[in-house]
Amino acid sequence: MIERIRDFEHLNQVIFVLFLLLVVQSSVDFLPTPYEIGKEVVNYLVDPDLRSDLASTAGRVYLSTLLALVLGVIIGVADYFNSTISDIFNSLFYPTQFLSEAVLAILAIAVLGINPLVVYVITVISVVPDVFIATQEGIQELDQRILELGTVYGESKLQVFRHLVIPQMLPYIFIGGIRAHATSWDIVATVEVFLALGGMGYLVQNQFRLLNLPELFALATILISAGLLSDRILRIIKREIDRRYMHHES
Amino acid sequence: MSLEVNDLNKSYGSEQVLSNFSLDMAPGEVVQVEGETGRGKTTLKRCISGLEEYEKGEVNVNGDIAHVFQDERVLPWLNVKKNILLSLQLKNEEISGEKLDQMLELARKLGVADHLDKKIDQVSGGQLQRLLLIRALITDPNLLLLDEPFNSLDTSTRSQIYSEVLEICKDKGIAVLVASHNEDLDSFVDRKISL
């Protein structure tokens, strides 16, 4: 269920562009030409301030994804040993899956005030179920025959975990990481709009307020391209991991 | 004694697989457990190596156990040498030069020294079974459990491997419990028990 909601959230970027097109449709005269958009993209890309904002957004995305990965894997593995952890986790995180990032942002600002921590809190809360679910899938798919080698030879549980469990779970954890990463781009950009702490979301908001459509389209293009490029790189790494570890049958 | 099993009872639901089973094995002794498929040969080994719980009885092993399974349990992402050394890593033992020499010596004796650096899918079934035996023997066990590991091989290859490995075990004083319903083991075993 959570997974399905996540899949829909990946459409946020597309919905954002469609929304822009709707705005443009009502005032066709202002529709920027591809040349104008391209020119603005180039202008932005050579602008050190824009690069700094993009790096800021990307940094928040990667740090949030990393935090979600660590937290999701810890909870997922702990759930393997004690299933009540899964119940507690679901009761805490499941309701947040029905709230939009905007509502979560307002709630987080009310609790934490306006500070950069809000970006990470909201993003991690929103994406940690992706990693948790993937970790659970990985645990369910562990080859029990291989784990029996650990029972026979494994006097060190740490070594069993390192040599037998982690390599088998890695492809699944990475799937969770890719999902979390994709969703993080949406969430970080959305929350940046609310927090006005810099980053691409804040730039988009400024241009939207001023209805500078060529700049707005250029920023959206850069944001989506950066997200897709980052996603593509992760998928290439995942293919390598799958090729190496994703065949349990011996 | 290398192994003492007293009054072992194991059942799956209402089906009693092992009933008051007892067995003592001296160091270096080779015992064959006979019986048709489903009579509990594998269950006995799994109880001894701690993979199965049992309802009643006692299992005492004097020292370490090594278990070679019926199927080939390897990590396909590791090459042959790393799969062999895995048993030491799982025991958190240092992979010393002495251990590497021991691995090479065993590999030479079993005729697979040229395959150590190959990928798992580049070796044949018979070679892989020899390599899995090295993985078991390199841990210097006191008891080796062989759960019909060579059943997929032809008779002459199977006899050759048994001859090689049991000779090594006798030399080292390793007790060997072999589960098999094949009769081609007769010349290698000290005694047989039936299930």
Side-chain angles (χ1 to χ4, degrees):
Chain A
M1 182 66 176
I2 290 175
E3 200 172 349
R4 180 164 291 186
I5 293 163
R6 294 279 114 211
D7 288 344
F8 278 109
E9 276 194 345
H10 291 172
L11 293 173
N12 275 2
Q13 290 164 342
V14 179
I15 292 166
F16 177 62
V17 173
L18 288 174
F19 176 68
L20 287 177
L21 286 173
L22 269 176
V23 172
V24 168
Q25 211 175 27
S26 62
S27 51
V28 176
D29 291 346
F30 299 111
L31 183 70
T33 63
Y35 172 74
E36 285 174 312
I37 297 169
K39 203 173 115 188
E40 287 305 326
V41 168
V42 173
N43 285 341
Y44 270 126
L45 288 178
V46 294
D47 178 2
D49 288 344
L50 182 279
R51 289 208 296 268
S52 157
D53 278 313
L54 184 58
S56 165
T57 299
R60 286 167 180 161
V61 168
Y62 296 134
L63 186 56
S64 303
T65 305
L66 189 65
L67 288 170
L69 262 176
V70 172
L71 195 60
V73 170
I74 289 173
I75 299 170
V77 171
D79 178 58
Y80 175 67
F81 296 105
N82 185 348
S83 59
T84 55
I85 286 172
S86 169
D87 299 334
I88 296 167
F89 175 81
N90 281 334
S91 62
L92 282 175
F93 283 82
Y94 196 64
T96 66
Q97 304 304 304
F98 294 100
L99 300 175
S100 71
E101 290 87 41
V103 174
L104 277 174
I106 291 164
L107 286 174
I109 289 167
V111 175
L112 298 169
I114 295 182
N115 78 60
L117 201 62
V118 172
V119 180
Y120 301 111
V121 170
I122 295 166
T123 313
V124 170
I125 285 175
S126 301
V127 302
V128 80
D130 290 332
V131 182
F132 172 66
I133 289 166
T135 305
Q136 278 187 318
E137 284 172 3
I139 288 171
Q140 281 163 12
E141 294 298 321
L142 284 174
D143 187 337
Q144 296 303 318
R145 298 172 319 121
I146 295 290
L147 293 186
E148 284 187 349
L149 288 176
T151 310
V152 174
Y153 295 111
E155 286 170 18
S156 161
K157 283 190 175 169
L158 186 67
Q159 296 297 330
V160 172
F161 201 73
R162 181 180 157 201
H163 293 288
L164 303 182
V165 177
I166 289 179
Q168 290 190 72
M169 284 178 61
L170 207 53
Y172 296 91
I173 292 172
F174 214 82
I175 289 170
I178 285 178
R179 285 182 196 151
H181 164 266
T183 313
S184 292
W185 277 99
D186 297 341
I187 297 171
V188 167
T190 308
V191 176
E192 280 175 349
V193 169
F194 283 88
L195 288 178
L197 287 168
M200 293 296 285
Y202 181 57
L203 289 183
V204 168
Q205 187 222 36
N206 270 343
Q207 298 305 333
F208 190 77
R209 199 156 35 87
L210 300 168
L211 268 183
N212 285 336
L213 291 182
E215 286 87 345
L216 200 51
F217 270 90
L219 285 171
T221 305
I222 292 169
L223 186 60
I224 292 168
S225 302
L228 290 177
L229 179 67
S230 185
D231 183 71
R232 183 55 47 198
I233 291 168
L234 290 179
R235 282 174 195 277
I236 291 168
I237 298 170
K238 185 188 164 294
R239 259 209 309 274
E240 281 306 301
I241 290 176
D242 284 356
R243 195 179 59 78
R244 191 169 158 83
Y245 295 113
M246 203 80 173
H247 41 89
H248 298 158
E249 299 81 18
S250 53
Chain B
M1 285 292 160
S2 289
L3 172 69
E4 288 177 59
V5 180
N6 299 315
D7 296 326
L8 191 65
N9 282 265
K10 169 71 184 172
S11 56
Y12 294 108
S14 59
E15 189 189 353
Q16 187 81 25
V17 182
L18 296 170
S19 180
N20 296 322
F21 179 87
S22 295
L23 171 68
D24 288 341
M25 286 181 70
E29 189 179 15
V30 179
V31 175
Q32 180 184 3
V33 186
E34 285 183 311
E36 293 302 317
T37 305
R39 298 299 296 270
K41 300 190 297 296
T42 297
T43 302
L44 171 64
K45 293 204 170 38
R46 292 176 64 82
C47 288
I48 292 171
S49 58
L51 296 172
E52 292 274 355
E53 291 188 356
Y54 41 88
E55 290 90 46
K56 204 180 120 201
E58 198 180 20
V59 175
N60 293 314
V61 181
N62 184 16
D64 289 340
I65 303 177
H67 195 149
V68 181
F69 296 90
Q70 201 166 8
D71 48 4
E72 297 151 352
R73 301 186 185 198
V74 289
L75 305 187
W77 54 87
L78 299 180
N79 69 9
V80 167
K81 189 196 280 183
K82 287 180 178 169
N83 263 290
I84 290 173
L85 297 173
L86 179 70
S87 56
L88 295 175
Q89 288 176 314
L90 292 174
K91 290 170 86 71
N92 210 13
E93 273 187 36
E94 189 191 348
I95 299 169
S96 59
E98 191 187 334
K99 279 292 172 192
L100 292 172
D101 289 345
Q102 189 185 350
M103 175 181 70
L104 203 57
E105 188 196 333
L106 285 167
R108 281 199 193 110
K109 276 186 184 170
L110 292 171
V112 286
D114 294 339
H115 304 290
L116 292 176
D117 291 319
K118 287 185 177 173
K119 289 180 179 174
I120 284 296
D121 56 7
Q122 290 174 327
V123 292
S124 69
Q127 289 160 347
L128 188 55
Q129 289 297 6
R130 286 179 170 97
L131 295 160
L132 294 180
L133 278 167
I134 300 171
R135 179 168 78 186
L137 292 171
I138 201 173
T139 61
D140 293 326
N142 299 74
L143 174 65
L144 176 63
L145 304 174
L146 300 178
D147 190 8
E148 307 190 70
F150 315 123
N151 269 11
S152 59
L153 307 178
D154 61 82
T155 311
S156 71
T157 310
R158 189 165 58 223
S159 294
Q160 191 189 342
I161 297 179
Y162 271 127
S163 155
E164 292 162 351
V165 74
L166 295 180
E167 187 188 324
I168 294 169
C169 290
K170 290 229 175 212
D171 285 350
K172 290 176 178 278
I174 302 169
V176 184
L177 185 60
V178 192
S180 176
H181 54 256
N182 294 310
E183 291 180 357
D184 49 0
L185 273 174
D186 288 359
S187 53
F188 306 118
V189 300
D190 296 313
R191 65 188 159 109
K192 291 182 176 186
I193 51 173
S194 293
L195 283 177

